[in-house]
């Protein structure tokens, strides 16, 4: 019997698992994906919004602001990337300037630093903003993180403290009894006192397994371009258009690792299909011209899309089930979900879990040891590690300078990488300009050796993506 089953290992589920692992609880996390942070968390803008945008009186407003203020200490403790880059919301005419004034008033009321800048001041900081911009609102405390790095670190620490992580396990049914549930997955079943439904785009499906959902999720696709590190000076701040009913709009976003993200658009779709479309990418290009010029499109190294679970009430839906008080829905977590995630976890634990279960803090808590990143070390430190283990000097990914041993470390970590994509997410092998064209085969061979499986059985990501799949098709 588990105390808590968490369904979903995106950034919200990972924060919940991490924070609950500090208590004497039996916890299991299920996710249908083959890795943590493999869906919405993998494909967002990576921005820790300061909290000036959500409407007053919403959970988004409260939890965005609280979460943004929690992130610096959390990232410091986990030893993951956090970078304050600041942001500009840009205006082209008097109507948009009025929106800036409304945002400035909202920021002032919430104690968020914000100031108006002229087009001349803006151009001095960001020469590539569009010529038609006449004023901007600066939000200096806007930051960026590496979302999947943060989620993985959270889950690693949770696993080190006793949380059971079951990846590749899709929940297919839930049965309710007087004081417990049975959660059925395609890998077996488990009994639990409490369920936390943090399944992202799947939250409504999970709710429908046991009740009539009291919320509705619309899938909204956002498509992005990624620029190579050679374009890292294109922008140094997040550049936003003024917000509209379509959301925050198409942005230009510097990342913690030196690339630039351009996007997203906002398209309602019927499924969790994350393919990119020509129309979508054309829309991103068209709307980018509204905020920036001189876009170095020749430095695009990839495009991708993500699905956001948008709720029908214009806010996060964080409530117990109306039928079962031990079924907790953490649903409709769209933007600013990443920025709000630590505060969402805190809110759920304090308001919803604590009344249901005794929360006894553990006497001891194991801190995660951050992995060795050779690229971040001094020459002396690199030489010391290479003397101790020459595999740290064997470079596999030349674009990102990732060594053989860093990949091995990622495979054997507390929440170890079991696929090519999972290695890519943990150490960035394959995220450089060649996008794995040179190193992917070598990464696959390392996975096969360390996991003790045939090379043909190495997965790129989900089941069905085995390296031998195409060869088998050709033979047939």
């Amino acid at each position: 019997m588990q105390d808590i089953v968490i369904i979903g290992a995106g950034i919200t589920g990972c924060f919940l698992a991490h924070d609950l692992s500090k208590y004497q609880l039996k916890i299991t996390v299920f996710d249908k994906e083959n890795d943590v942070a493999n869906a919405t968390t993998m494909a967002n803008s990576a921005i820790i919004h300061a909290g000036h945008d959500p409407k007053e009186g919403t959970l988004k407003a409260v939890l965005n602001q609280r979460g943004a203020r929690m992130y610096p200490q959390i990232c410091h403790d986990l030893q993951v990337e956090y970078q304050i880059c600041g942001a500009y919301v840009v205006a082209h005419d008097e109507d948009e300037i009025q929106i800036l004034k409304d945002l400035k008033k909202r920021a002032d009321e919430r104690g968020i630093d914000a100031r108006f800048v002229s087009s001349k001041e803006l151009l001095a900081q960001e020469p590539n903003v569009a010529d038609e911009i006449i004023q901007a609102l600066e939000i200096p405390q806007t930051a960026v993180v590496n979302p999947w790095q943060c989620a993985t670190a959270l889950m690693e620490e949770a696993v080190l403290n006793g949380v059971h992580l079951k990846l590749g396990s899709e929940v297919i049914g839930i049965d309710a009894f007087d004081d417990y549930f049975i959660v059925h997955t395609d890998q077996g079943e488990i009994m639990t006192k409490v369920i936390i439904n943090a399944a992202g785009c799947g939250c409504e499906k999970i709710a429908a397994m046991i009740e009539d959902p009291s919320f509705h999720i619309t899938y909204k696709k956002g498509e992005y371009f990624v620029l190579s590190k050679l374009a890292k000076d294109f922008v140094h701040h997040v550049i936003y258009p003024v917000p509209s009913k379509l959301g925050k709009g198409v942005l230009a976003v510097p990342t913690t690792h030196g690339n630039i993200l351009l996007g997203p658009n906002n398209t309602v779709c019927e499924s969790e299909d994350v393919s990119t479309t020509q129309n979508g990418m054309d829309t991103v290009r068209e709307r980018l011209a509204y905020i920036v010029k001189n876009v170095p499109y020749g430095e695009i190294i990839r495009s991708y899309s993500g699905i956001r679970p948008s709720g029908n009430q214009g806010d996060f839906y964080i409530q117990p089930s109306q039928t079962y008080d031990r079924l907790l829905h953490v649903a409709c977590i769209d933007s600013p979900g990443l920025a709000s995630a630590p505060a969402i976890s805190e809110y759920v634990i304090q308001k919803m879990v604590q009344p249901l279960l005794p929360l006894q803090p553990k006497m001891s808590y194991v801190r995660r040891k951050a992995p060795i990143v050779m690229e971040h070390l001094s020459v002396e430190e690199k030489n010391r590690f290479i003397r101790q283990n020459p595999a740290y000097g064997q470079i596999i990914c030349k674009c990102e300078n990732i060594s053989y041993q860093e990949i091995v470390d990622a495979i054997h970590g507390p929440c170890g990488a079991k696929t090519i994509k999972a290695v890519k997410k943990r150490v960035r092998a394959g995220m450089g300009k060649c996008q794995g064209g040179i190193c992917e085969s070598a990464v696959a061979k390392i996975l096969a050796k360390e996991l003790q499986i045939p090379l043909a059985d190495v997965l790129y990501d989900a089941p069905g993506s085995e390296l031998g799949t195409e060869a088998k098709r050709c033979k047939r």
Side-chain angles (χ1 to χ4, degrees):
M1 173 73 76
Q2 297 294 287
D3 293 303
I4 299 175
V5 161
I6 299 171
I7 304 173
I11 189 69
T12 304
C14 288
F15 263 111
L16 283 161
H18 173 269
D19 296 348
L20 286 165
S21 74
K22 298 175 181 179
Y23 301 100
Q24 295 178 34
L25 297 169
K26 294 179 181 178
I27 302 168
T28 295
V29 180
F30 290 111
D31 198 289
K32 67 180 181 180
E33 297 284 333
N34 260 7
D35 195 17
V36 301
N38 218 37
T40 301
T41 303
M42 177 68 188
N44 60 40
S45 302
I47 304 170
I48 306 304
H49 304 285
H52 64 285
D53 184 53
K55 292 180 180 178
E56 194 63 38
T58 62
L59 269 179
K60 287 184 176 182
V62 174
L63 298 178
N64 180 176
Q65 193 174 350
R66 169 67 177 153
R69 291 175 176 173
M70 294 170 74
Y71 260 105
Q73 187 63 50
I74 289 166
C75 291
H76 176 270
D77 291 345
L78 292 171
Q79 300 180 63
V80 298
E81 297 164 355
Y82 174 87
Q83 178 182 317
I84 295 177
C85 58
Y88 292 108
V89 188
V90 298
H92 298 72
D93 54 38
E94 291 302 320
D95 288 341
E96 291 190 346
I97 287 175
Q98 183 57 53
I99 296 173
L100 294 189
K101 290 178 180 177
D102 294 341
L103 292 175
K104 174 70 162 64
K105 179 182 178 184
R106 197 178 293 171
D108 290 344
E109 290 171 348
R110 296 175 185 176
I112 296 168
D113 188 16
R115 71 181 190 96
F116 293 112
V117 298
S118 67
S119 58
K120 183 178 180 180
E121 290 176 288
L122 177 61
L123 281 167
Q125 294 296 317
E126 294 289 357
N128 291 312
V129 295
D131 294 330
E132 297 79 11
I133 292 167
I134 59 175
Q135 194 171 44
L137 182 67
E138 182 181 10
I139 314 291
Q141 290 308 113
T142 303
V144 289
V145 296
N146 181 326
W148 57 88
Q149 180 199 43
C150 184
T152 301
L154 289 161
M155 189 58 76
E156 285 181 348
E157 202 157 281
V159 168
L160 287 170
N161 288 281
V163 170
H164 299 285
L165 175 63
K166 303 293 185 182
L167 295 170
S169 296
E170 184 172 3
V171 174
I172 57 176
I174 301 171
D175 293 326
F177 298 89
D178 288 344
D179 56 357
Y180 69 95
F181 301 93
I182 295 180
V183 179
H184 301 272
T185 78
D186 57 3
Q187 304 297 316
E189 61 185 41
I190 195 168
M191 298 169 64
T192 183
K193 298 173 185 174
V194 173
I195 296 174
I196 301 179
N197 174 16
C201 288
C203 277
E204 186 176 356
K205 293 177 183 176
I206 296 298
M209 291 176 184
I210 194 169
E211 63 181 353
D212 290 330
S214 48
F215 57 91
H216 175 63
I217 286 175
T218 298
Y219 298 149
K220 292 188 176 179
K221 179 186 286 190
E223 296 167 85
Y224 296 82
F225 291 115
V226 183
L227 301 182
S228 82
K229 292 181 180 180
L230 294 177
K232 65 182 176 65
D233 290 324
F234 174 59
V235 294
H236 297 280
H237 304 74
V238 177
I239 310 297
Y240 298 102
V242 294
S244 71
K245 63 181 180 180
L246 295 176
K248 295 182 176 68
V250 171
L251 323 174
V253 186
T255 68
T256 60
H257 33 79
N259 300 103
I260 303 290
L261 300 183
L262 305 173
N265 61 338
N266 189 340
T267 306
V268 174
C269 50
E270 297 300 319
S271 70
E272 295 181 59
D273 173 21
V274 292
S275 60
T276 55
T277 64
Q278 188 62 55
N279 284 342
M281 303 320 294
D282 288 346
T283 298
V284 171
R285 287 176 181 261
E286 178 186 331
R287 293 179 183 170
L288 269 174
Y290 196 64
I291 62 168
V292 288
K293 62 189 178 187
N294 305 321
V295 180
Y297 286 115
E299 290 303 323
I300 292 173
I301 56 175
R302 73 167 302 201
S303 59
Y304 69 94
S305 76
I307 305 295
R308 300 184 291 274
S310 183
N312 61 324
Q313 299 171 22
D315 200 1
F316 301 149
Y317 187 91
I318 306 176
Q319 296 183 32
S321 156
Q322 295 182 3
T323 311
Y324 307 99
D325 62 356
R326 288 174 174 259
L327 170 60
L328 313 179
H329 295 304
V330 186
C332 309
I333 309 299
D334 56 358
S335 182
L338 175 64
S340 306
I344 291 173
S345 175
E346 179 184 67
Y347 180 89
V348 170
I349 293 169
Q350 291 180 356
K351 302 288 187 181
M352 296 162 69
V353 176
Q354 196 163 21
L356 299 174
L357 295 171
L359 297 182
Q360 304 278 342
K362 289 178 177 173
M363 297 298 290
S364 61
Y365 187 77
V366 181
R367 301 305 314 215
R368 162 187 182 266
K369 184 179 179 181
I372 294 164
V373 182
M374 293 294 284
E375 182 71 1
H376 295 170
L377 302 180
S378 67
V379 173
E380 293 78 11
E381 290 171 320
K382 288 177 182 177
N383 288 337
R384 177 166 58 84
F385 277 107
I386 292 169
R387 283 194 298 270
Q388 293 170 355
N389 184 345
Y392 280 119
Q394 182 182 346
I395 301 300
I396 300 298
C397 175
K398 293 178 171 58
C399 294
E400 296 289 321
N401 290 317
I402 309 301
S403 70
Y404 187 108
Q405 190 59 44
E406 287 170 273
I407 295 169
V408 172
D409 292 345
I411 294 168
H412 294 295
C415 181
K418 300 296 184 285
T419 67
I420 292 170
K421 182 178 175 182
V423 168
K424 186 176 182 180
K425 286 162 63 180
R426 281 158 181 75
V427 298
R428 294 187 56 78
M431 283 199 176
K433 190 154 189 180
C434 84
Q435 287 291 290
I438 296 173
C439 68
E440 193 168 292
S441 62
V443 171
K445 290 175 183 176
I446 297 170
L447 278 161
K449 179 181 178 182
E450 297 301 319
L451 299 177
Q452 299 182 26
I453 59 175
L455 182 60
D457 291 344
V458 171
L459 291 165
Y460 177 78
D461 185 16
S465 65
E466 294 88 349
L467 296 186
T469 301
E470 192 60 38
K472 290 174 185 175
R473 288 194 190 118
C474 292
K475 285 182 181 179
R476 286 199 293 267

